[in-house]
Amino acid sequence: DIVMTQTPLSSPVTLGQPASISCRSSQSLVHSDGNTYLNWLQQRPGQPPRLLIYKVSNRFSGVPDRFSGSGAGTDFTLKISRVEAEDVGVYYCMQATQFPQTFGQGTKVEIK
Amino acid sequence: QVQLVESGGGVVQPGRSLRLSCAASGFMFSSHGMHWVRQPPGKGLEWVSVIWYDGSNKYYADSVKGRFTISRDNSKNTLYLQMNSLRAEDTAVYYCARWADNRAFEIWGQGTMVTVSS
């Protein structure tokens, strides 16, 4: 199975400041069809996960544009340009290039 | 409104069985692959199982293979997870999730809690 490793595991951020989360995969996530199936999910406290970003950099419907994804191969990044109070929660990267789908350990974003 | 609602969770003794349901509404259920993903208390996400849109293919995580069975009834817009021989390590919130062509879990249910304890 592909192992997904996120850093940091905890990220205290000041409101209005940027935040960045890294995700590294144990193998390249480039699929034979040319796509890279790396997604980002947000889980607010007490809520189910919610899709934020799919295929590295595509924002899902309704996701604010302060969220952006980038990366290639085995190294990926989720950035929040200006953290708001509603962004508190745990963020997971997830690969769907190879079966079975696997998730990172999660990064907790909290307000300083 | 696109919605997934899980039910069937509860407290069960080790070795016993439980069946979870996931009722879908607001979209063409029969056109989408569906998954179960679980989350032990205070921990991360673990993929459990997938079923193709028409039920023709089913796959399982190694941790549940041979004990869990995924199924669906497209006439009832409902997904199921039959869980047998339950173990303490199966304790988790179980989510159903809709699979998209872009290979993402684009819709999630609220989850149902399963506790395996004597």
Side-chain angles (χ1 to χ4, degrees), chain A residues 13-33:
Chain A
V13 185
T14 301
L15 284 174
Q17 293 300 302
S20 181
I21 301 169
S22 294
C23 176
R24 176 167 290 179
S25 58
S26 59
Q27 302 174 35
S28 172
L29 296 186
V30 179
H31 192 273
S32 56
D33 66 7

Side-chain angles (χ1 to χ4, degrees), chain A residues 26-93:
Chain A
S26 59
Q27 302 174 35
S28 172
L29 296 186
V30 179
H31 192 273
S32 56
D33 66 7
N35 289 304
T36 299
Y37 295 105
L38 184 284
N39 307 323
W40 289 96
L41 300 140
Q42 175 197 60
Q43 187 173 32
R44 292 169 172 153
Q47 295 295 311
R50 165 198 177 200
L51 178 63
L52 289 180
I53 303 283
Y54 63 94
K55 287 199 296 184
V56 181
S57 59
N58 296 275
R59 273 189 302 276
F60 188 56
S61 174
V63 174
D65 60 9
R66 63 179 181 274
F67 291 95
S68 64
S70 62
T74 61
D75 289 286
F76 304 92
T77 303
L78 175 70
K79 291 183 179 176
I80 310 174
S81 58
R82 294 172 306 280
V83 171
E84 298 188 5
E86 66 178 18
D87 300 335
V88 165
V90 180
Y91 292 77
Y92 296 94
C93 61

